[in-house]
Amino acid sequence: MKSFLVRLGSGIVLVILALIFIITGGDFLLGVCGVVSLIGLFELYRVFHIEKSPAGILGYLAVIVYYLNEKFSFIPEQMIFVLGLLVLLMFVYVFTYPKYHTEQLLAAFFGVFYVAVMLSCIYQTRMLPNGAYIVWLIFLCSWGCDTCAYAVGILIGKHKMTPKLSPKKSWEGAVGGVVGTILLTLLYCFIFQGRMGTTNRDIAFLTGICAVGAVISMIGDLTASAIKRNYDIKDYGKLIPGHGGIMDRFDSVIFTAPIIYYLAFYLIGK
């Protein structure tokens, strides 16, 4: 009971903080996303034992450069950033050999995009027209899906979805999560339809986007679980009481943020 109350309390605090950060938006939200990305990257790097190494420090610097570029746009093309980071990591790999295993350098490169770049889509979604409303769909189809899937799974879940990876997840829960997300999206869109200025066609698009996002959010959750199981750890960190670390709480958000951003960007309009 105590652990449940701790988890519930932490969840309420997270929601309140999310409200403050996202409603404020702008540079404040960009900075918060950057800090959260750095913490999440540190947690991920700790799994691979590179959190305090030159490769890890290079990863942190890359995140800082990426977020500064979001503000000041001094890198003309994204591919320059990608290739620059890759080349610098290869320098570290070669001139510190045999300090690192190959998978550690791959993790250093992968982590920047898996955590920081994908999380930055929260800020980018917030900056879209009607982004102040659309951005909440990221959390609705990640945390909302998770809650609905858990409830349905507890009630009627019988068929295991990934018994070796996550024995508690069921196909019934997965379906319940997607259906629950669709219903929550419809409710949300109709409540704020006047303020968002959306048509019924737009609402249909947003509902479809969130249905896709709900499926992707479960993949994101399972991806983070797979990494933990491969390296025999329970949680990525202890920053959030009852939840674990940033990566434990934002594992599904990491995947849904870019899905919501790009689908909303191209389907609803720039």
Side-chain angles (χ1 to χ4, degrees):
M1 182 64 180
K2 182 180 179 180
S3 61
F4 171 76
L5 292 175
V6 170
R7 185 178 177 87
L8 178 63
S10 297
I12 292 171
V13 171
L14 280 174
V15 170
I16 293 171
L17 290 175
L19 283 167
I20 294 170
F21 298 151
I22 293 175
I23 289 173
T24 303
D27 293 344
F28 182 61
L29 178 59
L30 180 64
V32 169
C33 287
V35 171
V36 170
S37 295
L38 285 170
I39 297 171
L41 190 62
F42 176 82
E43 292 176 350
L44 183 65
Y45 280 177
R46 189 163 52 193
V47 175
F48 297 94
H49 307 293
I50 58 171
E51 74 277 12
K52 297 180 182 179
S53 70
I57 292 170
L58 182 58
Y60 305 139
L61 291 174
V63 171
I64 294 171
V65 169
Y66 176 81
Y67 275 91
L68 287 174
N69 186 62
E70 285 293 305
K71 172 64 178 176
F72 299 107
S73 301
F74 51 84
I75 300 177
E77 292 185 22
Q78 187 87 327
M79 188 55 67
I80 295 176
F81 173 79
V82 175
L83 293 177
L85 175 59
L86 180 60
V87 170
L88 289 174
L89 282 171
M90 291 304 99
F91 268 96
V92 171
Y93 187 36
V94 169
F95 289 107
T96 61
Y97 188 85
K99 180 179 177 64
Y100 299 102
H101 294 294
T102 304
E103 62 267 23
Q104 290 177 305
L105 264 295
L106 292 175
F109 182 73
F110 165 75
V112 172
F113 300 94
Y114 174 51
V115 182
V117 174
M118 293 175 80
L119 271 178
S120 73
C121 289
I122 296 174
Y123 165 77
Q124 294 180 54
T125 304
R126 176 65 175 82
M127 299 305 291
L128 290 173
N130 285 327
Y133 296 97
I134 294 175
V135 69
W136 295 106
L137 299 180
I138 294 172
F139 299 94
L140 190 151
C141 67
S142 54
W143 295 349
C145 176
D146 184 55
T147 301
C148 292
Y150 175 78
V152 173
I154 288 293
L155 291 173
I156 60 172
K158 293 182 179 179
H159 300 87
K160 304 300 181 183
M161 185 166 60
T162 54
K164 292 184 178 180
L165 179 57
S166 186
K168 294 182 179 180
K169 285 183 169 57
S170 66
W171 285 108
E172 292 85 354
V175 172
V178 175
V179 173
T181 300
I182 290 171
L183 295 176
L184 288 171
T185 304
L186 286 171
L187 178 63
Y188 175 84
C189 288
F190 280 119
I191 289 174
F192 293 102
Q193 184 175 15
R195 295 183 183 181
M196 293 171 69
T198 51
T199 63
N200 289 338
R201 174 180 173 275
D202 293 331
I203 292 175
F205 275 132
L206 288 173
T207 303
I209 289 170
C210 283
V212 173
V215 174
I216 299 298
S217 76
M218 289 184 277
I219 300 300
D221 184 21
L222 291 169
T223 297
S225 296
I227 294 173
K228 288 191 289 186
R229 285 191 177 274
N230 278 340
Y231 288 88
D232 196 27
I233 60 173
K234 184 178 184 295
D235 294 314
Y236 283 100
K238 298 179 180 179
L239 182 64
I240 308 171
H243 292 269
I246 290 293
M247 291 296 294
D248 296 292
R249 183 64 278 180
F250 286 82
D251 50 6
S252 57
V253 173
I254 285 172
F255 275 69
T256 55
I259 295 298
I260 296 297
Y261 170 67
Y262 283 107
L263 290 180
F265 184 83
Y266 288 109
L267 294 180
I268 302 301
K270 302 180 182 180

